[in-house]
Amino acid sequence: MPKFFIKTYGCQMNERDSEQVAHSLLARGYERVAREAEADVVLLNTCSVRDMADQKALGKMGMLGRMAKERPHVVFGFLGCMAQARGGSLLKNLPHVDLVVGTQKFHRVANYVEQVLEEKRDRRMDDSRFSIVDIAEEAGSQEAIREQRLASRQATAFVSIMQGCNMHCTFCIVPRTRGAERSRSINEIVREVRDLITHGVKEVTLLGQIVNLYGRHEFPKRDGKSPFVQLLEAVHEIDGLARLRFTSPHPIGFRDDLIDALARLSKLAEHIHLPLQSGSNKILKAMHRTYTVEKYVDLVRRIRQARREIAITTDVIVGFPGETGSDYKRTRDLVEEIQFDNAFIFRYSPRRDTPAATMAEQIDEAVKEKRNQDLLRIVNESARRAGERLVGRDVEVLCEGPSKTNPARLTGRTRTNKIVVFEGDEKLAGEIVEVRVQRANGFSLYGTPILPTSRASNGDRVRHRTDSPWRT
């Protein structure tokens, strides 16, 4: 059977989509390989959030043109967000591309691959081209991302709970590439998580473009609880689940019921990724972020009160159109005040067909870079302090297996999502281990395992470990 290679650009949702495609090909007997040179099918699952992601995917496919000439039987395809946004225009400058498949069609990729392979066999002596472009909307596509092939002793897994976004932030192309919000049913999500747990997974991350707005158009509130909180409760009850995470939320989706859930659902990990984007109310309004700095700060306070050991990370965009030095200083001061455990800092990148791309007062790239580097220094210092506070303490680590940078050591994450590197037998992969932190280095912790944490049969923790001290 043919061999396939998938390269994924962008977010965790893209990673999850790629795994669905891989599962469908593996189910048909295809073999997955780690290098495109070994493959009969080469697929790039693309991202369009930033221009750099577009350019990386286009550059990669361009370099594969030589391989296409040497091995004309190979199928080349673009999947995902850039495919959705650009459609058939991608074929113009990359004539060797055979497939362009959008974000609502991942479940059809295997069929399309087989169709192209058959056409290539039939046209072996024919110079004519055959390609498939499918970027149409498809009702029910949110239910199609529900299967994945797990690796041996895999401890963590992503579960897609919804597709699309209705927020229309002025800098963001996602509503165009992912479509309107569409949510899976709670029963289907619970079924998928149960299946993952039976195969050894201990931690699940629920994925959505704005995950905490799950189901708001499809399902009713019950007992004052949003559909998302109802989902959290249902997944939390699954026997064998040790940890539950979700990403990425929007500040406006943090209502009282979700704050309460953070306080009472013990399997919810002590980490929230809470995008800020800017510390200036003027810029937040221009971004159409629908909250103020004051509301964001109050939300952080309430989250930390609900789960006092929680770690909070964020996203920030610098250099948005119209951002003055004073606007940037407000962002800088706020990031320093909140003391995030980590943050992803982005220079604003104009995206085609978004309102911000045509706004006046576009910021010079040199100014963006200066602000980016300055804010990174603040974040790195905050992250360093958070790590150093854990030296000498015991933390609960879910071992994910050998470290990618040093296979002689193991790696895993704390409940607050901090990376821990430690020595131990590979048999610890997939297990929850107590590790005593000996030193901190940048964003990683290094320690020595003590004993596996005792677990009740239902996956609830027997004793609680705090690995992120409360900070004011």
Side-chain angles (χ1 to χ4, degrees):
M1 293 297 291
K3 299 176 181 180
F4 72 95
F5 168 84
I6 298 181
K7 183 174 180 60
T8 307
Y9 299 86
C11 66
Q12 292 158 322
M13 292 187 70
N14 287 12
E15 294 283 355
R16 180 65 190 89
D17 294 337
S18 290
E19 287 308 307
Q20 179 66 44
V21 172
H23 179 276
S24 64
L25 291 169
L26 289 165
R28 299 184 186 215
Y30 286 56
E31 178 186 348
R32 189 170 191 170
V33 295
R35 298 174 61 246
E36 62 265 26
E38 303 170 7
D40 304 293
V41 180
V42 178
L43 303 172
L44 305 184
N45 191 8
T46 60
C47 171
S48 278
V49 170
R50 303 180 70 221
D51 181 64
M52 185 179 295
D54 270 13
Q55 296 308 315
K56 283 183 177 179
L58 290 169
K60 179 69 172 179
M61 189 61 82
M63 289 191 295
L64 292 171
R66 180 176 178 180
M67 177 178 165
K69 292 179 180 179
E70 296 172 349
R71 303 177 64 202
H73 72 281
V74 175
V75 174
F76 296 90
F78 277 123
L79 314 178
C81 290
M82 188 179 73
Q84 185 72 40
R86 300 198 180 200
S89 67
L90 289 167
L91 304 177
K92 183 178 180 180
N93 296 319
L94 297 164
H96 61 284
V97 172
D98 304 291
L99 288 176
V100 178
V101 182
T103 56
Q104 298 187 33
K105 302 290 185 170
F106 290 109
H107 57 295
R108 300 195 179 278
V109 171
N111 287 337
Y112 291 154
V113 165
E114 293 199 340
Q115 190 175 346
V116 174
L117 282 172
E118 185 177 347
E119 286 286 339
K120 281 179 176 281
R121 284 192 293 266
D122 292 344
R123 299 179 180 220
R124 195 164 295 170
M125 304 302 293
D126 188 347
D127 289 335
S128 63
R129 294 291 302 169
F130 173 81
S131 59
I132 296 175
V133 177
D134 188 355
I135 59 172
E137 294 183 2
E138 181 164 338
S141 63
Q142 71 273 17
E143 296 285 359
I145 309 300
R146 61 178 186 269
E147 298 168 317
Q148 55 188 304
R149 185 68 58 95
L150 299 175
S152 175
R153 305 180 72 86
Q154 183 172 327
T156 65
F158 296 116
V159 173
S160 175
I161 69 171
M162 63 188 296
Q163 291 181 344
C165 179
N166 291 1
M167 296 306 296
H168 297 285
C169 299
T170 57
F171 55 81
C172 186
I173 197 173
V174 166
R176 181 178 170 217
T177 60
R178 288 276 179 177
E181 291 174 14
R182 308 171 311 283
S183 299
R184 298 174 65 190
S185 69
I186 289 178
N187 288 341
E188 268 296 300
I189 296 165
V190 168
R191 181 204 61 75
E192 182 178 345
V193 175
R194 279 204 182 108
D195 184 62
L196 291 168
I197 299 307
T198 63
H199 287 86
V201 169
K202 289 186 170 64
E203 175 185 294
V204 164
T205 301
L206 305 180
L207 295 179
Q209 210 64 54
I210 299 190
V211 70
N212 53 345
L213 296 183
Y214 162 86
R216 59 175 175 161
H217 300 301
E218 295 96 337
F219 313 123
K221 284 188 175 182
R222 289 197 169 93
D223 300 322
K225 297 172 184 174
S226 67
F228 183 61
V229 171
Q230 295 172 45
L231 173 63
L232 290 178
E233 291 178 337
V235 174
H236 185 272
E237 291 303 310
I238 297 174
D239 289 346
L241 177 68
R243 294 180 182 178
L244 177 59
R245 303 183 188 273
F246 58 86
T247 199
S248 282
H250 191 291
I252 70 162
F254 271 90
R255 306 297 171 89
D256 290 344
D257 63 331
L258 182 50
I259 300 291
D260 176 65
L262 286 174
R264 61 186 172 81
L265 299 182
S266 61
K267 293 179 185 178
L268 273 175
E270 291 82 8
H271 170 238
I272 295 293
H273 187 73
L274 189 66
L276 167 64
Q277 306 303 7
S278 177
S280 162
N281 282 333
K282 183 191 83 176
I283 298 300
L284 287 174
K285 184 176 181 180
M287 290 177 168
H288 193 224
R289 287 296 289 174
T290 68
Y291 54 85
T292 63
V293 169
E294 292 75 19
K295 288 183 178 179
Y296 185 94
V297 171
D298 183 63
L299 177 57
V300 169
R301 178 189 62 80
R302 293 168 63 209
I303 290 172
R304 284 176 168 166
Q305 284 183 340
R307 190 71 77 90
R308 294 178 70 86
E309 65 276 10
I310 204 160
I312 299 179
T313 57
T314 196
D315 296 330
V316 180
I317 296 173
V318 297
F320 188 81
E323 183 187 67
T324 65
S326 296
D327 292 319
Y328 170 68
K329 186 177 186 304
R330 291 186 181 95
T331 299
R332 187 184 196 276
D333 291 347
L334 185 59
V335 169
E336 191 145 34
E337 174 191 340
I338 290 177
Q339 288 290 289
F340 294 104
D341 287 67
N342 198 358
F344 298 98
I345 313 299
F346 302 97
R347 291 170 292 172
Y348 168 70
S349 174
R351 307 311 295 128
R352 185 175 54 183
D353 299 326
T354 60
T358 57
M359 286 181 178
E361 300 180 82
Q362 297 286 326
I363 306 301
D364 185 79
E365 289 298 324
V367 174
K368 293 180 190 178
E369 178 63 16
K370 182 178 180 181
R371 292 174 183 174
N372 182 70
Q373 294 302 320
D374 180 55
L375 200 56
L376 277 175
R377 284 191 290 271
I378 303 278
V379 169
N380 290 344
E381 183 63 20
S382 175
R384 182 190 62 78
R385 287 193 292 266
E388 289 182 349
R389 281 193 290 266
L390 298 177
V391 174
R393 303 182 65 179
D394 298 344
V395 295
E396 178 194 290
V397 177
L398 178 54
C399 181
E400 297 174 6
S403 167
K404 292 180 180 179
T405 57
N406 184 356
R409 293 184 174 181
L410 301 175
T411 187
R413 291 180 185 267
T414 69
R415 290 178 63 90
T416 56
N417 208 39
K418 291 179 173 57
I419 297 170
V420 183
V421 179
F422 56 98
E423 293 184 358
D425 194 300
E426 284 191 27
K427 292 180 181 178
L428 289 176
E431 299 297 326
I432 292 176
V433 183
E434 203 83 1
V435 176
R436 181 157 297 161
V437 178
Q438 295 174 320
R439 63 185 178 94
N441 180 17
F443 297 106
S444 297
L445 306 174
Y446 297 84
T448 302
I450 305 171
L451 290 172
T453 300
S454 176
R455 290 272 162 181
S457 60
N458 66 354
D460 285 329
R461 288 181 296 165
V462 174
R463 64 179 184 273
H464 179 72
R465 282 292 180 186
T466 299
D467 56 68
S468 181
W470 164 245
R471 327 186 273 289
T472 57

